[in-house]
Amino acid sequence: SSCGRGASLVIGRKISHYEVIDKLGAGGMGEIWKAQDSRLNRMVAIKVLSNASAGDSERRRRFILEARAASGLNHPNIITIYDILSDEDSEYMVMELVSGKTLGDLIAPGGVGVAKTLQYSTQIADALRAAHAAGIVHRDLKPGNVMVTDSGLVKVLDFGLAKINVATELTEETQTID
């Protein structure tokens, strides 16, 4: 089904088998929406490439690259990508819905203290180690791209500026051609 332009998303709209429930936020490349996956009966997050970005072939390429980069990583501290969809107007990335706050929201003016700094930084380092082992360099790691759940689990988000090792990218392109 045609979904129209990203900015025209409204609560109740369907994108494939995902029903839009609520807007979660917006970033440099688009908006993030909470949606219900009717096939697997779970809540997901859908990142929608913004109208301005959707018309830019380089941004569309980066958006798809982000989905491919993150989806190739299976790690508890890296966001899980479930699907990527597109229509004539936009691109949609479906990912796990992470409940919690960004590290940016959690860091008080005085910091978070030594114990939490070690807890968070160890998980971030482990996520980056896994990404680097797969030939992926994040390149946009900042507090706003790190979610922390209420239980203290860290999830690294937004691989939109990731640099993928040329050998890895060629392998993925070959796999998509077959």
Side-chain angles (χ1 to χ4, degrees), residues 29-91:
M29 286 184 71
E31 300 174 339
I32 308 289
W33 293 81
K34 180 179 181 180
Q36 172 75 37
D37 177 342
S38 64
R39 287 188 185 158
L40 296 175
N41 195 28
R42 65 181 170 185
M43 291 296 178
V44 298
I46 298 180
K47 184 175 190 176
V48 183
L49 193 61
S50 70
N51 289 343
S53 297
D56 180 339
S57 62
E58 174 59 20
R59 286 204 168 211
R60 281 181 97 115
R61 187 191 71 76
R62 275 188 25 215
F63 189 80
I64 292 166
L65 190 64
E66 173 187 355
R68 285 183 178 168
S71 71
L73 301 170
N74 182 8
H75 191 277
N77 299 118
I78 297 175
I79 189 96
T80 301
I81 305 297
Y82 297 139
D83 202 357
I84 188 162
L85 306 163
S86 63
D87 60 24
E88 64 278 355
D89 294 320
S90 202
E91 304 287 336

Side-chain angles (χ1 to χ4, degrees), residues 164-178:
I164 298 179
N165 177 309
V166 174
T168 304
E169 191 169 9
L170 288 175
T171 302
E172 288 182 3
E173 286 177 11
T174 304
Q175 289 173 349
T176 58
I177 292 170
D178 291 343

Side-chain angles (χ1 to χ4, degrees), residues 62-176:
R62 275 188 25 215
F63 189 80
I64 292 166
L65 190 64
E66 173 187 355
R68 285 183 178 168
S71 71
L73 301 170
N74 182 8
H75 191 277
N77 299 118
I78 297 175
I79 189 96
T80 301
I81 305 297
Y82 297 139
D83 202 357
I84 188 162
L85 306 163
S86 63
D87 60 24
E88 64 278 355
D89 294 320
S90 202
E91 304 287 336
Y92 309 92
M93 187 184 324
V94 182
M95 60 193 103
E96 77 177 293
L97 179 64
V98 180
S99 297
K101 295 182 178 177
T102 68
L103 191 54
D105 290 337
L106 288 174
I107 299 174
V112 294
V114 174
K116 290 215 181 291
T117 298
L118 288 172
Q119 177 187 354
Y120 300 154
S121 60
T122 301
Q123 293 179 71
I124 293 167
D126 201 34
L128 295 177
R129 180 202 49 76
H132 293 179
I136 299 168
V137 179
H138 191 285
R139 298 197 321 172
D140 194 24
L141 189 63
K142 59 188 178 189
N145 286 342
V146 176
M147 289 287 293
V148 181
T149 68
D150 292 339
S151 66
L153 179 68
V154 167
K155 291 280 186 173
V156 176
L157 318 170
D158 202 350
F159 281 76
L161 295 178
K163 179 156 180 56
I164 298 179
N165 177 309
V166 174
T168 304
E169 191 169 9
L170 288 175
T171 302
E172 288 182 3
E173 286 177 11
T174 304
Q175 289 173 349
T176 58

